[in-house]
């Protein structure tokens, strides 16, 4: 039996995921592989490095720091999340990521990215977080407010554009027990966008624009499929039990803590059921 873990993205809604995964660390929940998307990758790697509390700690500490994120960074660098500070200074100096423990976990970890040229999802294995930091940037490079990231001679943006909840990929990789951590409550569905925005903004990349414009359909279909599989008890889902109004680029530490706390609470409430699912 192979246990897989799927981690949805959602920018600072990912504080929910951070809370869930910290409970996994407390309860010694083991998985054989992880597929993350965007913030699911950035925060998910801390499960394998066993750095409980790291995600909420550095995000609260630097939430209001102009070096971290915001309009100033977007204007100066073209990225709403400052890449130098968030991806290099924080994990290497200010709140160090434990690469050694991550590697010792021997757990396959895949980052979902969207190929800008094809508009399709790709799933790339993360073997060394520091050496592959540009991959982590790519999976979380939100459209419109991030520059396209080049990694291994390909152009990428946020993996959530093309595959927000990669359950099918997890199955394809051979995982027969699948845990899914979502960052939206069960009733949430995406709305149809103004299709001209993507067509104009990404006129050089028509396949990407098409994927962005169809994202609401693909996302909503994925949610319905997850609900169906959950009812069949073929997957196990942890999702927010209530709606917390939080911005994608949230700079209020109290809001971040609230989202994190909900993740802790929801995971604790489902942990016995989760262990039975894994052991069955």
């Amino acid at each position: 039996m192979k246990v897989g873990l799927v981690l949805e993205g959602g920018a600072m809604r990912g504080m929910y995921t951070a809370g869930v995964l910290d409970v996994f660390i407390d309860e010694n929940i083991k998985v054989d592989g992880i597929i993350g998307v965007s913030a699911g990758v950035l925060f998910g790697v801390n499960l394998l490095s066993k750095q409980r509390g790291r995600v909420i700690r550095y995000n609260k500490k630097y939430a209001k720091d102009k070096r971290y994120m915001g309009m100033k960074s977007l204007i100066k660098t073209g990225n709403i999340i400052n890449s130098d500070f968030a991806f290099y200074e924080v994990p290497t100096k200010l709140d160090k990521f434990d690469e050694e423990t991550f590697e010792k976990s021997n757990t396959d970890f895949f980052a979902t990215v969207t190929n800008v040229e094809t508009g399709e999802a790709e799933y790339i294995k993360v073997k060394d977080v520091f050496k592959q930091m540009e991959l982590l940037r790519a999976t979380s490079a939100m459209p419109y407010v991030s520059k396209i990231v080049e990694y291994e001679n390909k152009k990428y943006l946020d993996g959530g554009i093309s595959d927000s909840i990669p359950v099918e990929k997890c199955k394809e990789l051979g995982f027969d027990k699948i845990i899914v951590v979502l960052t939206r409550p069960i009733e949430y569905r995406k709305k149809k966008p103004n299709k001209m925005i993507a067509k104009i903004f990404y006129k050089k990349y028509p396949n990407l624009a098409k994927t962005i414009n169809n994202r609401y359909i693909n996302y909503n279909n994925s949610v319905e499929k997850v609900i169906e599989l959950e009812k069949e008890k073929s997957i196990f889902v942890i999702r927010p039990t209530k709606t917390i109004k939080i911005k994608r680029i949230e700079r209020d530490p109290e809001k971040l803590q609230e989202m994190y706390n909900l993740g802790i609470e929801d995971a604790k409430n489902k942990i016995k059921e989760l262990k039975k699912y894994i052991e069955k």
Side-chain angles (χ1 to χ4, degrees):
M1 182 188 73
K2 289 179 65 180
V3 179
L5 175 62
V6 175
L7 303 175
E8 184 184 9
M12 288 304 166
R13 290 198 318 276
M15 289 303 114
Y16 180 84
T17 302
V20 171
L21 298 185
D22 279 354
V23 173
F24 282 17
I25 292 173
D26 292 342
E27 296 290 337
N28 199 32
I29 299 297
K30 301 291 186 182
V31 298
D32 299 295
I34 301 172
I35 303 180
V37 183
S38 193
V41 176
L42 303 187
F43 303 155
V45 293
N46 294 275
L47 173 64
L48 301 187
S49 66
K50 298 181 180 180
Q51 288 176 280
R52 191 194 192 287
R54 179 175 178 269
V55 173
I56 187 64
R57 181 176 64 240
Y58 76 76
N59 275 284
K60 282 180 68 178
K61 184 173 183 179
Y62 299 111
K64 294 185 177 182
D65 194 316
K66 292 180 180 178
R67 295 174 297 171
Y68 189 22
M69 58 186 175
M71 290 306 296
K72 183 177 179 180
S73 175
L74 181 61
I75 293 166
K76 284 185 70 176
T77 70
N79 295 304
I80 200 160
I81 303 292
N82 187 298
S83 57
D84 288 341
F85 185 78
F87 291 90
Y88 291 95
E89 194 164 348
V90 170
T92 62
K93 297 176 183 178
L94 302 177
D95 199 322
K96 292 183 179 180
F97 177 73
D98 187 347
E99 173 65 33
E100 184 179 355
T101 301
F102 174 84
E103 290 183 22
K104 283 181 179 178
S105 73
N106 291 319
T107 304
D108 290 339
F109 193 111
F110 294 88
T112 308
V113 288
T114 301
N115 186 308
V116 168
E117 303 282 359
T118 66
E120 296 179 356
E122 295 182 14
Y123 311 88
I124 303 173
K125 186 180 287 189
V126 182
K127 297 178 181 178
D128 186 313
V129 169
F130 290 133
K131 289 180 180 178
Q132 294 177 277
M133 196 60 78
E134 289 302 288
L135 172 60
L136 271 67
R137 278 218 311 128
T139 187
S140 58
M142 294 179 286
Y144 307 122
V145 292
S146 305
K147 287 182 177 179
I148 291 169
V149 178
E150 291 197 19
Y151 179 76
E152 294 187 344
N153 300 316
K154 290 185 180 181
K155 297 178 180 179
Y156 295 113
L157 278 177
D158 195 314
I161 298 169
S162 53
D163 193 356
S164 297
I165 312 170
V167 171
E168 291 305 313
K169 183 63 181 180
C170 196
K171 285 183 178 180
E172 184 184 312
L173 289 168
F175 296 101
D176 37 31
K177 292 276 186 177
I178 299 175
I179 307 163
V180 182
V181 180
L182 303 179
T183 57
R184 295 279 196 183
I186 195 167
E187 66 273 11
Y188 176 81
R189 299 294 183 278
K190 287 192 179 296
K191 296 178 181 178
K192 185 178 181 180
N194 180 336
K195 294 194 172 185
M196 288 306 298
I197 296 173
K199 286 180 179 179
I200 293 170
F201 201 92
Y202 293 113
K203 60 184 178 181
K204 291 182 180 179
Y205 306 103
N207 291 326
L208 175 66
K210 184 178 179 181
T211 300
I212 290 172
N213 286 332
N214 288 332
R215 186 187 179 193
Y216 78 105
I217 298 172
N218 296 329
Y219 180 86
N220 294 344
N221 287 342
S222 292
V223 170
E224 295 297 339
K225 184 65 176 177
V226 164
I227 292 171
E228 180 185 327
L229 293 171
E230 184 181 18
K231 286 179 180 177
E232 295 173 358
K233 300 192 179 198
S234 57
I235 66 173
F236 190 94
V237 182
I238 300 176
R239 60 168 68 81
T241 51
K242 65 180 180 181
T243 299
I244 292 176
K245 292 183 178 179
I246 185 169
K247 299 172 185 174
R248 288 181 67 81
I249 305 300
E250 183 60 66
R251 304 189 71 178
D252 182 349
E254 291 184 6
K255 282 286 185 184
L256 300 179
Q257 186 70 54
E258 185 181 7
M259 199 72 186
Y260 173 81
N261 289 347
L262 181 62
I264 291 277
E265 179 184 346
D266 288 348
K268 283 183 175 180
N269 287 337
K270 298 199 78 170
I271 201 69
K272 286 184 181 178
E273 190 182 347
L274 173 59
K275 287 179 178 179
K276 285 181 181 177
Y277 169 77
I278 294 171
E279 293 165 4
K280 188 175 178 181

